[in-house]
Amino acid sequence: MKEYIATALGAGVVGFLPFLNLNPQPNTLTPTPAPAPIPRLQKQPVIQLQQSTKPGKRHRIQVQVISLNDLKIAEGAEVAAGQIISDRTEERESLEAQRNQIDISIKQLSASMSQVAELPPPNFAVQEAAIARIKSEIELMDGKPSLPATPAPFFRFKDEKLRNLLEPEKMNKVAEGIRTEASERAKMSETKAKLALELNQAIAALDKAQSDHQHQQYQHSLNLIRQQSEMQRQQYQVASLVAQKQQIESKLREITQIKSPVAGQVRRIKNLGQKDRQINLEVVIDVK
């Protein structure tokens, strides 16, 4: 037992000597092998990945255009802040031309609304004066003393000599008086007939003047009716044109230039669909 313990202790001491840097006496009988070198650990190079401190940003802008010509940029293009992205130039020019034409039409319609002149008051003084003059002349003629209707009685002379001497002369005077009276009556009748004709003509002239005035009044009333109808029609046309102008101005207010709020590069232009004539696009910009 004691021999076993001693052998074990000796083996332990010999195994521990290399760690104590002790050089034991060499055994002449059995040589001791040299200890193997302890391998050294080499440090591996460390690769550090530098992460970007500024992550990439994208800005999205939705625009509406009528044609692709209204789009002023393309994919991959560089854009600056405030640069125009889309502008519906053709549509704006067309709407402005329509608005200018409507303004001209409104001015023309407003200028053509002329008022119908009022009729002057009737004046029949000339015809009435002619009638009054003729009536006055007729009254003057009626106021003259009338000629005797029959000649003076004819007295025959009893004396035959006187009768033969004076009766022919007296008969001639009587005949002359009858002829004169007949001539005067004929002249008076002719004058009265002429005055009566003039009176009838003057009355007819007055009637015609009054009839003409009534016709003028009738025509004036028709002109007023036509004027009112024309003014209503023109007012309706002006109101319709004003409504069209307001619609155009509303469309013009909707047409605005779309500008880029950021600077960067256009990454993608995506078509979101089309409604009626409007094409909806999405512009994606990589912000610098």
Side-chain angles (χ1 to χ4, degrees), residues 29-286:
L29 297 177
T30 54
T32 304
I38 300 175
R40 295 180 179 179
L41 297 176
Q42 296 182 357
K43 294 183 178 181
Q44 298 293 331
V46 178
I47 300 176
Q48 295 181 356
L49 298 178
Q50 296 181 355
Q51 297 181 355
S52 176
T53 59
K54 183 180 179 182
K57 295 182 180 179
R58 291 178 183 173
H59 191 81
R60 302 175 185 273
I61 304 172
Q62 291 188 359
V63 297
Q64 292 180 343
V65 296
I66 299 300
S67 67
L68 295 180
N69 293 331
D70 297 335
L71 196 64
K72 307 304 180 183
I73 58 173
E75 291 184 355
E78 297 287 338
V79 293
Q83 181 177 341
I84 296 176
I85 295 177
S86 68
D87 186 10
R88 292 151 64 174
T89 307
E90 295 180 0
E91 185 179 6
R92 181 187 294 106
E93 291 177 351
S94 176
L95 291 174
E96 288 176 349
Q98 293 179 22
R99 183 183 60 184
N100 294 337
Q101 184 61 40
I102 288 176
D103 288 336
I104 295 174
S105 300
I106 290 175
K107 289 181 181 179
Q108 291 176 348
L109 288 173
S110 301
S112 62
M113 292 183 184
S114 58
Q115 298 291 333
V116 176
E118 293 294 333
L119 282 178
N123 186 3
F124 309 116
V126 176
Q127 293 81 3
E128 292 173 349
I131 293 173
R133 178 184 60 80
I134 295 171
K135 286 183 177 181
S136 177
E137 291 181 1
I138 292 174
E139 290 175 357
L140 288 176
M141 291 188 64
D142 292 339
K144 289 181 179 181
S146 58
L147 295 175
T150 55
F154 179 74
F155 296 99
R156 298 179 66 85
F157 292 97
K158 293 181 179 180
D159 188 352
E160 182 177 357
K161 292 181 178 181
L162 292 176
R163 188 169 56 247
N164 293 331
L165 178 64
L166 298 176
E167 189 170 321
E169 183 179 356
K170 189 175 181 181
M171 289 293 294
N172 290 333
K173 289 182 179 181
V174 171
E176 183 66 23
I178 293 173
R179 285 193 296 269
T180 302
E181 180 183 356
S183 176
E184 291 294 331
R185 289 181 180 275
K187 288 180 179 180
M188 187 176 294
S189 298
E190 182 180 358
T191 302
K192 285 184 176 181
K194 185 177 180 181
L195 290 175
L197 180 61
E198 291 180 358
L199 179 61
N200 292 333
Q201 291 176 349
I203 294 173
L206 177 61
D207 292 340
K208 185 177 183 306
Q210 293 175 344
S211 177
D212 291 342
H213 180 69
Q214 291 177 354
H215 182 71
Q216 289 177 356
Q217 288 180 327
Y218 174 72
Q219 290 294 333
H220 185 263
S221 63
L222 291 180
N223 292 334
L224 288 176
I225 294 173
R226 282 194 292 267
Q227 180 196 37
Q228 292 176 354
S229 300
E230 183 66 18
M231 289 182 65
Q232 291 177 355
R233 184 183 67 83
Q234 291 177 350
Q235 290 174 354
Y236 174 79
Q237 290 179 346
V238 170
S240 178
L241 290 173
V242 170
Q244 294 179 18
K245 181 180 177 180
Q246 291 175 350
Q247 292 178 357
I248 291 175
E249 290 178 345
S250 177
K251 291 180 180 180
L252 284 172
R253 286 192 295 269
E254 295 176 357
I255 300 175
T256 57
Q257 292 180 343
I258 305 300
K259 299 180 180 181
S260 176
V262 296
Q265 184 179 18
V266 179
R267 179 180 181 85
R268 184 177 67 252
I269 299 175
K270 183 179 179 181
N271 189 347
L272 300 179
Q274 181 174 353
K275 182 178 180 181
D276 297 333
R277 295 179 56 201
Q278 290 186 349
I279 304 173
N280 298 319
L281 301 175
E282 183 184 60
V283 179
V284 181
I285 300 176
D286 290 337

